[in-house]
Amino acid sequence: MNEGSGRVALVDDDADLLHATTQLLELAGFTVVARDAAEAALAVVDRDFDGVVVSDIRMPGMNGLQLFDRIKAIDPDIPVILVTGHGDVDLAVAALKDGVYDFIPKPYAGDRLVEALRRASEKRRLVMENRRLREAAALAADGLPLIGEAPAIRRLRETLRQIADMDVDVLVEGETGTGKEVVADLLHRWGRRRSKPFVALNCGALPETVIESELFGHEAGAFTGAQRRRIGRVEHSSGGTLFLDEIESMPPALQVKLLRVLETRSLTPLGSNETRRIDLRVVAATKVDLGRQDQRGDFREDLYFRLNVVTLRIPPLRERRGDIPMLFGHFLGKAAERFGRPVAKVNAAVSDHLQSHAWPGNVRELAHFADRVTLGLGPDDETKAVSPQSAEPAASLPERVGHYEAQLIRDALRDHGGDVRSAIDALGVPRKTFYDKLKRYGIAASEFRNGGDPHPVREQT
């Protein structure tokens, strides 16, 4: 019976036996990679190999015991089954003590090998699953929801590890809410620049009259109102990482100056004749494909090529729907911690919504939905997400007041395009009180600028 039992690397120098055993295992549901030499088998076995190795002991060149030693050095958790002749039993028993999963003496019944392989395959499956969960848990413990098992996400994490220590500029492409600032922050935290500042600037959130000073700084008296010297974001990030979000929104005049800074690794603040050297690494993020002229608009092609040393694409949530349950569970835990409530047990309506919704707001929208479920709200404000059997007691009066107050703040920020001063005036509260409440409710004003999605998770851009 074909049960889809897993992968097997089968090694035997006897061509007839190799062919017959391959047929036996394929009929039993295994995917077999057959090799006639140990050296050839090593080419398909690495730490990510998700199967079992079956090898004869007696082979020319590298024998089965030597192959086991090499595999153990690659990953001691890869199960190895040795097939032995009568005179090799003592060797095989000694190998068992050294970590070989099992040995099967010749001649053997086919079902004996199949049964041993199924047990070994299950062991390997559990090892690989636990590794993935530990990796996801480590990321979640950092508060960084770049978690998931979709191939694109796994490759993205691997690439971030590889380039974190490299002094190359990086362009991050992704739709709104996919986690571009998360990627930039990981590049910073996983590299040697982690002890220096991570400086973020949203190029679409500041007026053109302000952004130049914000980026490059100015000297006292450089323009009307410049009463004191200001260190710009570029210079402040020296030795660390400069994250430029919505780089496609940067005014053309500023693009020319940024290009020169990237080429020379130096800058001259407004009102100064002094050129200052900087240790710069730029991570730029964009919602559009700057490589396409129809999407690039007035963004300079030469600046695009200068930033495009390494390009990372973050897939939208609809392209990795299998990750939604894991991400949602992570966000439910975070929301429960933030609101001081138990982790919600959701009903079928929420489960159906998770599976059927298109998630145009991506990970940020999913996190927002987890907040709503934690507060007892479903896919819409009127639908209860918590089933009657598992429902927690209704929110207390202070909790309800807090929820309402947070919503009023979000509404004010949305109505005023994320402008904090206007929101404070509209609400009629002291500035310090307003900022205290932003911190208490996890609200980031930047999320409401330029029509942004009003969601309190700041680190996803």
Side-chain angles (χ1 to χ4, degrees), residues 253-428:
L254 266 294
Q255 294 178 33
V256 177
K257 295 186 177 182
L258 177 61
L259 178 61
R260 178 168 178 77
V261 169
L262 292 176
E263 289 175 339
T264 65
R265 259 40 188 182
S266 63
L267 61 78
T268 303
L270 290 171
S272 173
N273 293 320
E274 176 189 355
T275 298
R276 300 172 188 166
R277 300 290 299 175
I278 48 175
D279 176 11
L280 183 64
R281 187 198 197 169
V282 173
V283 180
T286 175
K287 299 191 294 290
V288 302
D289 184 353
L290 294 176
R292 292 180 50 178
Q293 188 173 0
D294 60 325
Q295 294 190 26
R296 189 163 60 236
D298 59 4
F299 194 83
R300 294 179 63 95
E301 188 177 34
D302 50 1
L303 179 55
Y304 164 67
F305 287 130
R306 186 63 188 79
L307 288 170
N308 190 30
V309 180
V310 175
T311 297
L312 302 176
R313 177 182 179 270
I314 309 176
L317 203 52
R318 63 181 176 275
E319 293 182 9
R320 54 180 188 119
R321 299 192 68 89
D323 287 341
I324 289 176
M326 183 185 299
L327 284 162
F328 188 62
H330 166 75
F331 287 128
L332 278 181
K334 289 294 183 182
E337 181 181 343
R338 187 166 63 253
F339 296 128
R341 296 177 63 87
V343 177
K345 299 178 182 179
V346 300
N347 63 14
V350 172
S351 179
D352 289 345
H353 185 71
L354 290 174
Q355 296 175 32
S356 62
H357 187 59
W359 301 110
N362 294 295
V363 178
R364 180 188 298 138
E365 183 184 2
L366 183 66
H368 190 191
F369 182 56
D371 286 350
R372 292 161 61 86
V373 170
T374 301
L375 293 167
L377 304 173
D380 54 68
D381 287 345
E382 291 74 34
T383 303
K384 288 293 180 181
V386 183
S387 61
Q389 295 87 349
S390 61
E392 298 294 338
S396 66
L397 179 60
E399 288 174 326
R400 296 180 192 180
V401 170
H403 181 223
Y404 180 65
E405 186 175 55
Q407 190 58 52
L408 288 177
I409 293 172
R410 293 189 182 100
D411 290 343
L413 286 167
R414 183 177 58 247
D415 293 342
H416 296 281
D419 184 85
V420 170
R421 180 176 298 175
S422 299
I424 289 173
D425 291 342
L427 293 171

Side-chain angles (χ1 to χ4, degrees), residues 24-163:
L24 167 72
L25 297 182
E26 287 179 343
L27 286 171
F30 292 95
T31 300
V32 181
V33 180
R35 296 291 185 268
D36 61 3
E39 292 85 351
L42 284 172
V44 300
V45 176
D46 57 20
R47 183 171 170 79
D48 293 325
F49 179 71
D50 59 355
V52 183
V53 177
V54 177
S55 175
D56 192 13
I57 285 187
R58 297 285 181 179
M59 293 184 295
M62 184 186 301
N63 65 36
L65 292 173
Q66 292 170 326
L67 174 61
F68 164 67
D69 287 337
R70 293 282 296 275
I71 291 173
K72 187 167 67 170
I74 295 170
D75 183 352
D77 290 323
I78 296 176
V80 176
I81 297 175
L82 295 178
V83 178
T84 68
H86 178 71
D88 296 323
V89 172
D90 289 342
L91 288 175
V93 171
L96 280 176
K97 296 178 181 178
D98 197 29
V100 166
Y101 180 79
D102 200 356
F103 77 91
I104 299 178
K106 297 178 183 177
Y108 56 83
D111 57 355
R112 166 76 171 85
L113 176 60
V114 167
E115 181 58 30
L117 273 170
R118 287 189 174 140
R119 292 196 309 270
S121 295
E122 176 63 13
K123 176 185 177 183
R124 183 60 176 168
R125 185 189 68 79
L126 292 173
V127 166
M128 298 300 285
E129 183 176 318
N130 281 318
R131 283 182 184 173
R132 288 191 292 268
L133 290 174
R134 283 196 299 270
E135 181 182 4
L139 288 168
D142 283 342
L144 299 168
L146 189 65
I147 56 179
E149 289 305 304
I153 290 295
R154 296 181 68 181
R155 287 194 300 271
L156 179 57
R157 288 197 298 263
E158 291 167 5
T159 302
L160 291 177
R161 292 284 190 191
Q162 291 169 1
I163 67 173

